[in-house]
Amino acid sequence: MYDVIIIGAGVSGCASARELSRYRAKVCVLEKAEDVCCGTSKANSAIAHAGYDAPAGSLMAKLNVQGNRMMERLSQELDFAFRRIGSLVICRDREEMPNLQALYDRGVANGVEGLRIVEQEELRRMEPHISEDAVAALYAPTAGIVCPFGMNIAFAENAAVNGVTFRFDTEVQDIRRTERGWLIETNQGPFEAKCVVNAAGVYADVIHNMVSEQKIRITPRRGDYCLLDKSAGSHVSRVIFALPGKYGKGVLVTPTVHGNLLIGPTAIDTEDKEGVNTTRAGLDQVLEKAGENVKDLPMRSVITSFAGLRAHEEHHEFRIGEVEDAAGFVDCAGIESPGLTASPAIGVMVSEIVRKILQLEENPAFVGTRKGIVNPQEMPMEERRQLIRENPAYGNIICRCEMVTEGEILDAIRRPLGARSLDGVKRRTRAGMGRCQAGFCSPRVMEILARECGKDISEITKAGGASKIVVGVNKDSL
Amino acid sequence: MKTYDIVIIGGGPAGLSAAVSAKKSGTDSILILERDKELGGILNQCIHNGFGLHTFKEELTGPEYAGRFIEQVQELQIEYKLHTMVMDISSDKVVTAMNSTDGLFEIRAGAVILAMGCRERSRGALNIPGYRPAGIFSAGTAQRLVNMEGYLPGRKVVILGSGDIGLIMARRMTLEGAQVQVVAELMPYSGGLKRNIVQCLDDYGIPLKLSHTVVEIRGKERVEGITLAQVDEKGRPVAGTEEEYECDTLLLSVGLIPENELSGGMGVELSRVTSGPVVNESLETNIEGVFACGNVLHVHDLVDFVSEEAAAAGRNAARYVQEAGSRKAQGTDKEAAGRTVEICAVDGVRYTVPSRINTERMEDIQTVRFRVGGVYKNCFVSVYLDEERILHRKRPVMAPGEMEEVKLKREELLRHPDLKAITVKVEEV
Amino acid sequence: MGKRELICIGCPMGCPVTVEMEGDEIVSVSGNTCPRGDAYARKEVTNPTRIVTSTVKVEGGLVEMISVKTKEDIPKDKIFDCVRALKGVTVKAPVHIGDVILADVAGTGVDVVATRNA
């Protein structure tokens, strides 16, 4: 019997788990995938939004601004990559200036600091590659970029160190009320908890509707992205948004914390909650629209494309709170953009709700800091030499595009909630995320995973489940 | 900081040949830096035969061909470091490298030979839509898994791209028990050698579909199928021509890209056509004393030509350090003797290597290699010195997949003291 | 009268060569532009042969597998017999280039030899 079961190990589930680990409670996170950060949290714009988008007075607006303010400190405490680089919303038509002004006003009402409308000339100076027809922009210095995997994994590891249990490959099939709380049926057997947090992303409606008569609906809204090589990473130095208007919503162009350039997303509603397939039309749209606000994009440098699903709730609002007709069942649903930005604040809000329900007491043993995987590339030469002397594995490069060493990969596998698959290693270390897209390093990472996990290479997967990399040995069918 | 006369980045076919040649040209202080666990580079996984017909007058497999050069490197007692990644090269030729025994270290080089080879284009570079399941491999990755590690990447295979690695892998996978259903090629012609089309596809009844590409990848966890479609002359899929294939594996053999991140980092000028360094007759880049050869310079189809080119780079690097030594003794700067003439690649010739020639410093017979941009039948390769045509050679067929060459004679160039440009072109008549 | 259509592999031209046969007798070779095409076609229709390359497991070496080849050409229709004969073959390091891995593979009289050291 757990005090709390959180369904979903995405960024909101893990932020909630980490905040709940501040209290004396038995907490378990159930995740249907083989790792944390496998759904919406892994495929998004990786932006810390300033907070001028959501309507004034909405929960979305409040948590966005709060979450944004928490980023710096949290990124230091939990050691994940975050850079406050600012954002620009580009207006390309004088007639649309009132919309830009409205965005400014909304931002001010939402409590966003430092907002300013910059005119053409200043805009050019700030971003030389901005489109010729840009007339003005809304500058938000508080916007930033974050490593979505880094943040999600940091929350999870810190939660695990503070006593939260994680169960992977565990898919919730049914939830029933019991006298003592809730019984959760899964493909790995039943789990019981006094309180349940529904942080199931695009499946949050399915989970919610298992316990409540007040049905909700989450529509997966697909976003296609293209990622460009690091050689294109400084094409812009801030997050560049299009002003939503008569030309549609537009796509963003942004550097990533790792120095790539990211463009996207599209917004295509789908029925398929696993439908993360990019389409020709979607990718074409990304490439075309990205060029509207930013000129001379080096499209030859695209190294990969991907799609993510936003968990769009029909009222476009976060649904966070105890469900009216299901006491002890807390929704954390409809977490779409700016969900990543808001997640630190979401975690606090969810844990506060649960704390009140269960009357939880503080956990005096809580450790609020966590060290990430060391990045030798950021070390001064002498420090790096010392690291290799202490552990020669840090001298052995495995991923040559991203210059990831064996030491980092071993750390990714051995640490709490360690990586079990190629994608797991990739999200933690960036091995395989570079321009050759794992062509060179995947056989080597497979070897290390097999050795560390005591498995045969044929058992190693790309991302758990049936995603095996090799299917047999030479001549086995001859 | 340790110092070597010549530091060679990469111990594959180019690096090995450059080292042997530099040593034989009288330079003793040479170091090869290789990132893998053995010398030989990609040849070690190319276990098929057909290597060395030009160099050794016999047909060898890749590892055998590499073995011949490795033996020479060992006999000549040329130093090398394995498991060693070069992290950075500064424009004044300080090489920063790393391995687990020496840690992070710096070496000052008198001359640097860039021989890092190339990498394969990935699915991402093609922007093929669909899911991102397991089972999509570049042909070279599959080759490594099968040939070096003994694992079968899949049982039902579709191959996109008819470059030589793709063709070779069609046969390899077949002979290891996989069923290769089709090889699709975007272009109306194959980029691979004829011999490979016959012996890797026709021998096993594997169809080659020209002007076709993959328009969809199915399967969320592991590849379950793909859709091929015909493409029009601009390479765009033609609606209504889609054909579905059930398969668990998609191999990509869609091009090679010279691996020039280190070169770019040190300020070497790169060609937009080849993605390799722009070099002169000595295969020297815009940075004095930095040479390039092999697939890092431009992608080759035959290793024999890589060895030949790298041998020239090795000779030239040795000459450079020897001359630098004597200049130092005499206290003089590098003399700017002779004149440098640009080679213009026009009318079907996409690029030339080298792209400029110093008429004083070129060898008596200078090989100029190039590729054409399309398939040409019964055309001529012509070389002009300014307006004068000095070469007009009939070629029954030329294709982008086969590297071409012309040879320029030094004495002929010297007869044109006011020479402004050398032009290499394809002519119909 | 039988006909065989081939593509010559002698050079990049890839001439389409037609061989007319009367039983096992070659009546004519056409379509080739040079004598190499003629020679190739005659060999290919009467006695097609190939070098076969493959891998076998090696124990105690730096690598898991070593590459091997038939020392000479074997008949084309023996290719699969040859690789089947190599199934399950494991050798012990040290192995040197040229060492015989499997003698007289599939009754061809040709040895399979190592093509790398291990």
Side-chain angles (χ1 to χ4, degrees), chain B residues 127-253:
Chain B
N127 235 349
I128 305 172
Y131 289 95
R132 299 193 300 150
I136 305 169
F137 301 87
S138 65
T141 305
Q143 189 177 45
R144 184 187 165 93
L145 286 168
V146 175
N147 292 351
M148 307 288 282
E149 289 164 29
Y151 288 100
L152 207 54
R155 298 199 185 279
K156 267 185 129 176
V157 184
V158 170
I159 298 177
L160 175 61
S162 62
D164 286 311
I165 317 173
L167 300 175
I168 292 288
M169 281 313 292
R171 177 173 64 188
R172 277 298 294 140
M173 296 288 288
T174 306
L175 291 181
E176 295 298 346
Q179 186 203 340
V180 179
Q181 310 200 59
V182 64
V183 175
E185 168 60 56
L186 181 73
M187 304 304 284
Y189 49 81
S190 166
L193 299 170
K194 265 289 165 324
R195 167 199 167 99
N196 285 336
I197 292 173
V198 171
Q199 298 199 343
C200 299
L201 302 188
D202 298 353
D203 273 6
Y204 302 95
I206 300 166
L208 170 63
K209 293 202 161 224
L210 298 174
S211 300
H212 275 72
T213 193
V214 173
V215 292
E216 203 202 342
I217 298 170
R218 288 184 298 282
K220 292 176 182 178
E221 296 186 293
R222 173 88 196 186
V223 174
E224 287 165 11
I226 60 104
T227 305
L228 285 188
Q230 210 175 320
V231 296
D232 61 19
E233 60 284 354
K234 285 187 176 155
R236 292 170 310 204
V238 178
T241 62
E242 294 85 359
E243 281 174 278
E244 297 196 355
Y245 286 85
E246 225 181 85
C247 60
D248 64 4
T249 304
L250 174 64
L251 295 192
L252 301 173
S253 173

Side-chain angles (χ1 to χ4, degrees), chain A residues 18-295:
Chain A
R18 189 252 178 178
E19 287 305 314
L20 275 167
S21 68
R22 292 177 186 274
Y23 303 104
R24 287 177 197 268
K26 241 180 112 189
V27 181
C28 176
V29 180
L30 303 183
E31 169 56 52
K32 77 179 171 66
E34 53 109 30
D35 194 3
V36 302
C37 196
C38 280
T40 302
S41 305
K42 82 165 175 186
N44 53 68
S45 306
I47 305 289
H49 292 272
Y52 46 73
D53 280 311
S58 65
L59 182 60
M60 226 177 217
K62 183 179 138 195
L63 295 182
N64 180 346
V65 173
Q66 275 180 12
N68 180 301
R69 284 186 191 141
M70 292 165 77
M71 279 293 170
E72 246 120 18
R73 198 171 147 194
L74 200 59
S75 68
Q76 285 158 15
E77 285 173 355
L78 295 182
D79 197 11
F80 61 82
F82 166 71
R83 280 170 57 212
R84 207 176 278 289
I85 59 171
S87 69
L88 289 163
V89 182
I90 309 296
C91 175
R92 294 188 296 131
D93 187 342
R94 281 271 159 221
E95 283 177 22
E96 304 221 338
M97 283 302 283
N99 295 347
L100 199 68
Q101 184 63 43
L103 212 53
Y104 170 88
D105 294 340
R106 202 193 299 158
V108 171
N110 288 351
V112 180
E113 286 152 17
L115 285 177
R116 184 155 75 77
I117 289 183
V118 294
E119 293 295 329
Q120 207 169 42
E121 203 178 311
E122 186 183 359
L123 179 58
R124 290 277 135 71
R125 276 203 308 275
M126 292 171 85
E127 294 289 349
H129 285 119
I130 227 71
S131 140
E132 298 296 339
D133 52 5
V135 292
L138 174 64
Y139 175 49
T142 58
I145 50 178
V146 62
C147 175
F149 326 117
M151 181 160 77
N152 196 156
I153 290 165
F155 281 137
E157 281 182 16
N158 190 232
V161 165
N162 286 304
V164 174
T165 305
F166 282 77
R167 299 292 297 256
F168 296 108
D169 298 310
T170 304
E171 188 169 356
V172 172
Q173 293 162 334
D174 196 17
I175 305 175
R176 287 198 310 274
R177 181 171 266 308
T178 65
E179 276 173 25
R180 300 192 297 171
W182 298 94
L183 178 74
I184 303 178
E185 296 285 0
T186 77
N187 60 339
Q188 308 280 353
F191 291 81
E192 267 194 286
K194 293 178 193 154
C195 189
V196 174
V197 175
N198 169 21
V202 289
Y203 289 95
D205 55 348
V206 177
I207 300 294
H208 169 101
N209 294 343
M210 287 176 183
V211 301
S212 170
E213 286 311 310
Q214 295 155 19
K215 303 300 181 193
I216 65 167
R217 183 179 158 79
I218 304 286
T219 307
R221 179 167 288 176
R222 201 186 79 227
D224 302 34
Y225 293 87
C226 294
L227 186 72
L228 277 67
D229 186 57
K230 286 182 173 176
S231 59
S234 53
H235 198 74
V236 296
S237 42
R238 295 168 188 79
V239 187
I240 309 297
F241 294 102
L243 178 64
K246 65 182 178 195
Y247 302 109
K249 196 161 174 291
V251 302
L252 64 85
V253 178
T254 179
T256 70
V257 286
H258 301 111
N260 297 85
L261 194 74
L262 180 67
I263 60 178
T266 53
I268 299 153
D269 286 352
T270 142
E271 289 297 309
D272 185 356
K273 290 184 190 289
E274 301 287 329
V276 290
N277 53 321
T278 55
T279 62
R280 176 81 282 145
L283 295 176
D284 286 347
Q285 199 189 339
V286 168
L287 296 175
E288 183 202 315
K289 285 200 167 179
E292 288 176 355
N293 289 307
V294 179
K295 62 181 180 186

Side-chain angles (χ1 to χ4, degrees), chain B residues 260 263-264 266-271 276-279 285-287 355-356:
Chain B
N260 275 296
S263 329
M266 72 186 296
V268 166
E269 183 196 350
L270 300 177
S271 154
V278 173
V279 293
T285 66
N286 62 313
I287 302 180
S355 60
R356 59 178 76 109

Side-chain angles (χ1 to χ4, degrees), chain A residues 272 277-278 280 303 305 385 392 395 400 435 439 444 462 466-469 471-472 474-478, chain B residues 35 85 99-100 104 119 124 127 129-130 132 137 141 144 146 150 152 155 176-177 220-222 259 261:
Chain A
D272 185 356
N277 53 321
T278 55
R280 176 81 282 145
I303 60 170
S305 53
R385 286 200 176 104
R400 64 191 190 196
R435 51 182 72 93
R444 289 156 178 89
K462 178 173 185 284
S467 67
K468 287 198 174 146
I469 314 285
V471 300
N474 287 359
K475 303 184 183 69
D476 61 3
S477 65
L478 287 176
Chain B
R35 63 189 169 202
M85 191 76 181
N99 64 35
S100 50
L104 197 57
R119 65 166 177 272
N127 235 349
R132 299 193 300 150
F137 301 87
T141 305
R144 184 187 165 93
V146 175
L152 207 54
R155 298 199 185 279
E176 295 298 346
K220 292 176 182 178
E221 296 186 293
R222 173 88 196 186
E259 189 124 65
E261 278 67 32

Side-chain angles (χ1 to χ4, degrees), chain C residues 7-70:
Chain C
I7 293 172
C8 177
I9 63 164
C11 80
M13 243 177 104
C15 294
V17 183
T18 306
V19 184
E20 293 198 45
M21 311 273 295
E22 188 84 66
D24 288 342
E25 292 289 302
I26 294 169
V27 179
S28 72
V29 176
S30 58
N32 54 306
T33 24
C34 76
R36 276 190 296 173
D38 186 89
Y40 169 76
R42 284 174 193 278
K43 172 94 172 27
E44 198 59 17
V45 296
T46 51
N47 178 27
T49 60
R50 300 286 186 265
I51 296 267
V52 176
T53 62
S54 190
T55 56
V56 300
K57 269 205 160 152
V58 58
E59 282 172 357
L62 178 72
V63 287
E64 304 292 312
M65 309 292 290
I66 57 154
S67 49
V68 300
K69 68 174 181 186
T70 54

